Amino acid sequence: MGVSLKKGQKVSLTKFNNNLDNILVGLGWDTAQNTGIPYDLDVEVFMLGANDKVIGDDWFVFYNKLTSPDGSVVHSGDNRTGFGEGDDETIKVQLSKVSPQVQKLVFVVTIDDAVARGHNFGQVSNAYIRIVDLSSNRELVRYNLTEYYPNVISMVVGEIYRYNNEWKFNPVGDGTADDLMGLCIRYGVRVQ
């Protein structure tokens, strides 16, 4: 198991891993099973420029658009149940292929149709994000979320960002009442 981080405890991914290039970002969670309405949590990646907005509308990777325009970010696809052990959804990132315009990759977990279904992060447990070096299959870092709130329907889980020629990871763990549409607006994705 990799280094276990606390909220806001930033760490360099590449400082001591000079050849780090292909990584897997795994996210997992458990949901309440007694509501009668199944949960569908989804992972999204917003690829942001220096202004903290996407560098273009197609620089948003999610279940309906599985690959970034530069091919550096590839989503595993939608896991509609979240059942079972291990990662529920994964994102592969090739750091050397990330467009130089992209300064930050923001990893978000949303609950599909949360308001209509009466779902929120107060009914989610054991959520985490982890980063694995695919060349060695070694987990580098892990962040276990500890705060779950009933007024939260989306969670900004973590960020991978450029800093002084390094790639760093910031475990964010900030919840929001914004749904996917609200997050798209926040990060500058024009939605039709």
Side-chain angles (χ1 to χ4, degrees):
M1 189 149 95
V3 176
S4 186
L5 301 175
K6 293 183 170 80
K7 184 175 181 173
Q9 187 179 15
K10 299 173 181 158
V11 65
S12 176
L13 296 174
T14 54
K15 186 173 189 175
F16 301 108
N17 300 297
N18 292 340
N19 297 323
L20 185 67
D21 191 22
N22 290 297
I23 61 173
L24 175 122
V25 181
L27 298 102
W29 52 79
D30 293 323
T31 58
Q33 300 302 318
N34 56 356
T35 63
I37 303 171
Y39 283 76
D40 181 12
L41 276 67
D42 299 307
V43 175
E44 296 88 21
V45 183
F46 292 91
M47 301 178 74
L48 309 182
N51 64 352
D52 278 341
K53 302 289 183 193
V54 291
I55 62 172
D57 290 335
D58 50 350
W59 292 83
F60 162 52
V61 177
F62 69 119
Y63 54 84
N64 276 341
K65 186 179 176 312
L66 297 177
T67 305
S68 63
D70 60 5
S72 67
V73 176
V74 179
H75 194 299
S76 64
D78 191 13
N79 174 344
R80 294 186 177 269
T81 66
F83 291 133
E85 295 295 313
D87 302 332
D88 290 305
E89 293 189 11
T90 60
I91 308 287
K92 288 184 180 174
V93 180
Q94 186 172 358
L95 298 171
S96 63
K97 283 180 69 175
V98 175
S99 168
Q101 292 178 281
V102 174
Q103 297 301 305
K104 186 186 300 180
L105 307 173
V106 177
F107 295 84
V108 177
V109 177
T110 57
I111 302 175
D112 186 48
D113 213 12
V115 174
R117 295 178 178 185
H119 293 165
N120 60 67
F121 269 89
Q123 301 152 335
V124 174
S125 61
N126 303 318
Y128 67 86
I129 182 171
R130 69 189 192 112
I131 299 176
V132 175
D133 177 352
L134 284 173
S135 70
S136 64
N137 206 30
R138 182 174 60 97
E139 183 176 287
L140 302 174
V141 294
R142 174 182 288 260
Y143 169 53
N144 295 314
L145 277 73
T146 56
E147 300 170 348
Y148 304 94
Y149 300 107
N151 60 337
V152 167
I153 60 173
S154 299
M155 184 76 68
V156 179
V157 183
E159 303 169 337
I160 295 175
Y161 63 98
R162 297 179 198 261
Y163 183 78
N164 289 343
N165 297 318
E166 293 177 38
W167 284 102
K168 296 187 107 178
F169 175 67
N170 177 22
V172 179
D174 286 343
T176 177
D178 288 336
D179 60 4
L180 183 54
M181 178 73 75
L183 289 166
C184 285
I185 293 166
R186 176 191 301 188
Y187 292 119
V189 178
R190 287 177 303 191
V191 181
Q192 287 125 15

